[in-house]
Amino acid sequence: MISIEQIVKGHKTAESRWARFGPYYAMFPLEFAFDVVDKYSNTGDYIIDPFAGRGSSIFASSIRGRNALGIEINPVGWLYGYVKLSPSPKTEVLCRLQEIYNNRNQYETEIKDMHEFFRLCFCDEVLKFLLSARDHLDWRNTDIDKTLMAIILIHLHGKLGEGLSNQMKMTKAMGMNYSIQWWKAHNLATPPEINPYHFINKRIVWRYEKGVISKTGNCKMILGDSVEHIPSISRYNKHKYSLLFTSPPYCSITDYHADQWLRLWLLGRVASPISSKEKHKGRFANRQEYRNLLESVFSSCVIMMKENSTVYVRTDSRQYTFETTCDVLKRYFPDYKMKITDRPVTKRTQTDVLGNTSSKKGEIDIVLTRGTMKLH
Ligand SMILES: C[S@@+](CC[C@H](N)C(=O)[O-])C[C@H]1O[C@@H](n2cnc3c(N)ncnc32)[C@H](O)[C@@H]1O
């Protein structure tokens, strides 16, 4: 069995290269995801993550021979989670890259009318290539297109030289006007000249260099809202879950859709960094709606769980999120024993760096168990 160290340190194994696939926000540290799966489940068990993000819990389950189901509402996180479980063959992905690149010149005129943000963010060659990918990659229905799109998404923006864009954060896209002003103020009003075919080709070759993962479990990622999906899954599912392992969004902290607006644009949305009005796609700022979300999801998970199952929830230590989560979990898992472990933050977090601050920081693990625990 591959050790956690061989996965989280360096890039010498296929597992380590695919495990990190997809920069996301508030992601589980890989070591933690493997640790929880190893400790609280056995080979062949079923694991569910209703707020799966980039799918580290599901990836760890897959490597460890568990069966797992992840649900994620944000297409960016979902694509990362889906693709890392079973990337399409490298030759086919490279072939598709060539086709998308070959179509770029159709967009010669279209790029001229694009918002100044795009003209300063990407050079013409990249912008034409992105429009071709946006129009031609059928990422919802075709696995090869999912793989290529996910790889382009990863490299869409980042530090100068590390992505296809002008200087930008990798985990979060800033607003249009803010970016324009920032580039101009820092003498970066000309985007870097990049050949997108060579750039992405090189990243694909690196990613596949050690092979693809040898998964042993039956694992999948579903794109959608857990509030809608879990009740129907629980009605038709034949098996019961041994571990509910998740991290729900934190109340009022992160807007996963606004932060990923540029990647969502590439997936076909209108280019807008403004918070979405759609349910469960904003900052989770309304406290009652936040509680309702947790109530809906955890209450419908209850009937899917085995009698001696474990619920492992990592959440925010800020008062409202923490107390609401404990409250809801106690209500729906009344005869489980609850253990709470503080995970204080010692170094600056992504949230700090990007400007969200609060007096109390860090995370908390809430673990509920019933019956006999796995023996070590
Ligand atoms: C704290 S993050 C989880 C991160 C994840 N553990 C990882 O390692 O990437 C919470 C996730 O819940 C997703 N989410 C929020 N509401 C949802 C819903 N109703 N159904 C499914 N996913 C949802 C968000 O889009 C976000 O990706």
Side-chain angles (χ1 to χ4, degrees):
M1 182 171 86
I2 186 161
S3 69
I4 297 184
E5 194 158 54
Q6 286 172 299
I7 297 167
V8 301
K9 296 226 167 92
H11 295 103
K12 291 197 179 121
T13 61
E15 285 83 353
S16 64
R17 293 205 178 187
W18 289 98
R20 292 191 184 86
F21 191 79
Y24 203 56
Y25 203 76
M27 347 174 241
F28 281 157
L30 283 176
E31 200 156 11
F32 165 71
F34 276 86
D35 220 34
V36 172
V37 168
D38 286 347
K39 206 160 168 184
Y40 295 97
S41 68
N42 291 300
T43 309
D45 279 352
Y46 284 82
I47 299 177
I48 185 161
D49 184 347
F51 301 103
R54 69 168 186 164
S56 295
S57 55
I58 309 304
F59 183 83
S61 304
S62 170
I63 300 281
R64 291 300 198 232
R66 277 56 161 173
N67 305 295
L69 174 65
I71 304 166
E72 172 53 51
I73 202 168
N74 189 316
V76 175
W78 170 73
L79 262 182
Y80 294 153
Y82 183 102
V83 168
K84 75 175 69 151
L85 286 176
S86 57
S88 290
K90 182 177 83 176
T91 45
E92 292 177 27
V93 179
L94 287 174
C95 215
R96 193 71 178 120
L97 171 67
Q98 182 77 65
E99 283 170 13
I100 296 296
Y101 182 68
N102 290 349
N103 276 329
R104 74 195 182 287
N105 286 330
Q106 288 175 14
Y107 299 92
E108 196 80 61
T109 325
E110 204 171 312
I111 59 165
K112 305 253 174 346
D113 297 329
M114 290 185 79
H115 190 287
E116 189 184 7
F117 167 84
F118 287 97
R119 309 286 290 156
L120 299 190
C121 193
F122 304 109
C123 69
D124 289 4
E125 275 293 283
V126 170
L127 204 44
K128 288 188 290 179
F129 167 76
L130 294 178
L131 290 185
S132 173
R134 191 171 187 263
D135 275 359
H136 298 291
L137 287 180
D138 185 9
W139 56 271
R140 283 184 190 273
N141 301 307
T142 315
D143 277 358
I144 299 168
D145 288 11
K146 280 185 176 67
T147 306
L148 178 57
M149 184 54 108
I151 293 172
I152 301 174
L153 285 180
I154 291 175
H155 302 287
L156 185 63
H157 51 86
K159 278 194 201 155
L160 261 184
E162 290 177 16
L164 291 167
S165 70
N166 204 336
Q167 175 74 20
M168 207 184 253
K169 287 180 198 301
M170 194 187 205
T171 44
K172 166 179 174 164
M174 307 310 278
M176 289 183 171
N177 291 336
Y178 174 89
S179 302
I180 294 169
Q181 279 166 23
W182 195 91
W183 290 322
K184 287 184 176 169
H186 291 81
N187 274 336
L188 290 169
T190 310
E193 280 302 325
I194 293 168
N195 177 314
Y197 176 78
H198 290 142
F199 187 94
I200 296 295
N201 187 306
K202 204 168 147 189
R203 268 77 192 167
I204 293 173
V205 170
W206 180 85
R207 188 69 66 178
Y208 283 80
E209 206 170 39
K210 305 286 173 191
V212 288
I213 58 159
S214 31
K215 55 178 183 161
T216 44
N218 176 12
C219 295
K220 54 179 180 191
M221 286 281 294
I222 293 180
L223 172 61
D225 189 335
S226 282
V227 171
E228 288 159 23
H229 280 279
I230 295 191
S232 58
I233 294 167
S234 65
R235 226 170 293 134
Y236 300 112
N237 235 20
K238 289 192 198 80
H239 41 256
K240 296 267 180 191
Y241 289 81
S242 303
L243 174 63
L244 164 61
F245 175 28
T246 198
S247 176
Y250 304 166
C251 189
S252 261
I253 302 294
T254 304
D255 186 329
Y256 296 92
H257 282 74
D259 289 353
Q260 296 298 330
W261 74 267
L262 193 50
R263 293 190 170 103
L264 289 168
W265 164 78
L266 191 61
L267 295 179
R269 289 204 170 209
V270 173
S272 169
I274 292 164
S275 195
S276 166
K277 295 276 174 292
E278 285 175 77
K279 212 159 188 189
H280 308 143
K281 294 184 180 174
R283 196 174 290 282
F284 305 91
N286 179 308
R287 290 187 166 194
Q288 189 54 49
E289 280 177 17
Y290 181 74
R291 174 178 275 273
N292 293 347
L293 169 66
L294 298 188
E295 295 245 357
S296 305
V297 171
F298 289 127
S299 66
S300 41
C301 282
V302 173
I303 49 171
M304 301 167 73
M305 304 305 293
K306 262 187 169 168
E307 208 171 301
N308 294 333
S309 54
T310 302
V311 178
Y312 199 118
V313 177
R314 171 159 285 189
T315 196
D316 190 17
S317 62
R318 290 172 185 89
Q319 194 181 5
Y320 185 77
T321 300
F322 170 60
E323 286 180 3
T324 310
T325 311
C326 279
D327 220 42
V328 171
L329 289 172
K330 271 186 200 145
R331 177 162 175 211
Y332 292 105
F333 296 91
D335 14 313
Y336 282 62
K337 220 165 78 191
M338 183 181 276
K339 187 173 166 228
I340 290 166
T341 313
D342 219 346
R343 305 278 176 202
V345 173
T346 42
K347 53 182 185 190
R348 267 157 63 85
T349 63
Q350 281 176 344
T351 326
D352 287 337
V353 174
L354 299 172
N356 295 317
T357 50
S358 152
S359 53
K360 196 175 181 217
K361 301 186 190 76
E363 288 168 325
I364 280 195
D365 289 351
I366 308 169
V367 188
L368 293 102
T369 46
R370 186 163 71 170
T372 345
M373 279 276 304
K374 184 179 165 183
L375 296 174
H376 296 280

